[in-house]
Amino acid sequence: MFFSRPDLKPLNIDLISIEGGGSCPSQFWGQTADGRSLYIRYRGGHFGVECEDVKLIDACIGPGLHGDLLVEQACDLAGLTVRGKRLVLSEEARLEAAEHGPILDWSGRTTYWERHFQGAPAQALHFIDTLQLRHPLGVLLEIYFESLPLKGKDTRGLFRACRLRKRLSECPDLGAVVFGVEADDQKIAGIVESRDVKLSAVATAFRYSMHFTYRFWNPIRKKSGFSWEEAGRDEDDRWPLRGSVRADFATQDSDARAFVDTVVPVAEACFPEPA
């Protein structure tokens, strides 16, 4: 399913204060000039606004497992002002917040598509292989975190890094990859050499791209370790993977939409909905 800015009727309510935040759910509490309490909640793609236990907005606006929203976005979507002024979120501030959590662009300039799945490792391998066959000049970029020393020898921090991969089978059992086409070779080289990669830099390194995140899950712990090759042969489904496929593009960019339209049927075929 595709998502962009939802068509919600603005409430046109002015608040004297609003506070809150969080993730899954994002929650905000506001107060009107006449003392009424306003509550906003966003979780699982569901956006709701209540005033004194009266539901004012009750709508599904985002991906099924999404639950991150900034206060400026909440007020913008609901049509709220604070002391007569709109809370404005700059694109620079949104991109900075998106480095630390899944903050989407709700301006309408961006359209999103996302599909969550649980399946066998062989399905994930087939999914990436199929995209590579359809786009032979595409680039597969693994995103991972590594621990590097900070100022002192005993102090370390986690930094986002990237490396090029030929196949998904070269990646670990928990991770994220980006498959992109029409890559900027100079930008890709800089990303691979960097030890503090920005997601915004990854996004601009390709004309079109798709994000694939996955996590190996083995509740019965029948085996230790992980091998893509062995897991692919496992007929007992002892190596299930959970994850998501997602893509975003400029809403008015028909060529980018066309690329995503090549990804969607492959994802649907490789990761069918449960019967």
Side-chain angles (χ1 to χ4, degrees):
M1 184 177 294
F2 290 87
F3 298 92
S4 190
R5 183 179 179 87
D7 184 18
L8 301 177
K9 184 178 180 179
L11 298 177
N12 295 322
I13 295 176
D14 188 48
L15 305 174
I16 60 172
S17 65
I18 187 170
E19 59 183 13
S23 172
C24 293
S26 293
Q27 301 179 92
F28 307 94
W29 293 266
Q31 186 176 22
T32 65
D34 57 3
R36 291 179 296 156
S37 297
L38 195 80
Y39 174 60
I40 304 173
R41 188 175 190 269
Y42 179 63
R43 183 180 184 181
H46 189 88
F47 183 66
V49 182
E50 296 181 6
C51 184
E52 300 292 323
D53 296 327
V54 176
K55 289 186 178 181
L56 304 179
I57 295 178
D58 187 17
C60 180
I61 67 170
L65 296 181
H66 191 244
D68 292 66
L69 197 66
L70 302 177
V71 63
E72 296 92 343
Q73 295 177 314
C75 289
D76 176 48
L77 290 169
L80 305 172
T81 55
V82 180
R83 297 187 181 274
K85 296 182 179 179
R86 293 178 57 248
L87 299 184
V88 178
L89 177 68
S90 68
E91 181 61 5
E92 292 76 15
R94 188 193 71 81
L95 288 174
E96 179 59 31
E99 295 293 335
H100 310 286
I103 301 297
L104 305 184
D105 171 22
W106 292 108
S107 68
R109 295 187 297 268
T110 307
T111 296
Y112 298 87
W113 174 83
E114 187 166 353
R115 187 181 186 88
H116 294 270
F117 68 87
Q118 175 175 325
Q123 293 172 294
L125 293 171
H126 181 62
F127 172 66
I128 297 298
D129 286 347
T130 301
L131 291 183
Q132 291 179 310
L133 285 173
R134 293 192 176 189
H135 304 279
L137 298 181
V139 173
L140 187 64
L141 195 65
E142 179 195 352
I143 300 176
Y144 66 101
F145 287 88
E146 62 179 5
S147 177
L148 296 174
L150 297 176
K151 294 182 179 180
K153 295 182 179 179
D154 298 329
T155 306
R156 303 181 71 84
L158 287 177
F159 294 86
R160 188 183 292 115
C162 294
R163 52 194 167 206
L164 294 171
R165 295 294 199 182
K166 292 183 179 181
R167 295 288 183 270
L168 180 62
S169 57
E170 298 176 354
C171 301
D173 59 308
L174 166 64
V177 298
V178 175
F179 179 75
V181 299
E182 296 189 29
D184 184 316
D185 293 339
Q186 186 173 356
K187 288 185 178 180
I188 292 294
I191 287 171
V192 172
E193 293 174 1
S194 174
R195 286 299 173 265
D196 188 14
V197 177
K198 298 291 187 181
L199 292 176
S200 56
V202 175
T204 59
F206 302 98
R207 175 72 194 279
Y208 318 117
S209 61
M210 177 279 311
H211 288 251
F212 181 68
T213 60
Y214 58 93
R215 180 185 185 90
F216 158 65
W217 185 66
N218 182 12
I220 53 181
R221 301 292 180 183
K222 286 188 175 180
K223 300 178 181 179
S224 60
F226 179 88
S227 164
W228 278 103
E229 182 179 0
E230 182 179 9
R233 296 196 304 264
D234 195 337
E235 297 179 356
D236 298 328
D237 288 332
R238 289 174 290 184
W239 302 96
L241 288 183
R242 291 177 174 175
S244 67
V245 187
R246 62 182 177 85
D248 61 78
F249 55 92
T251 303
Q252 301 301 321
D253 190 337
S254 58
D255 291 337
R257 173 62 186 262
F259 167 76
V260 176
D261 284 341
T262 69
V263 174
V264 171
V266 179
E268 292 177 343
C270 291
F271 309 112
E273 295 286 356

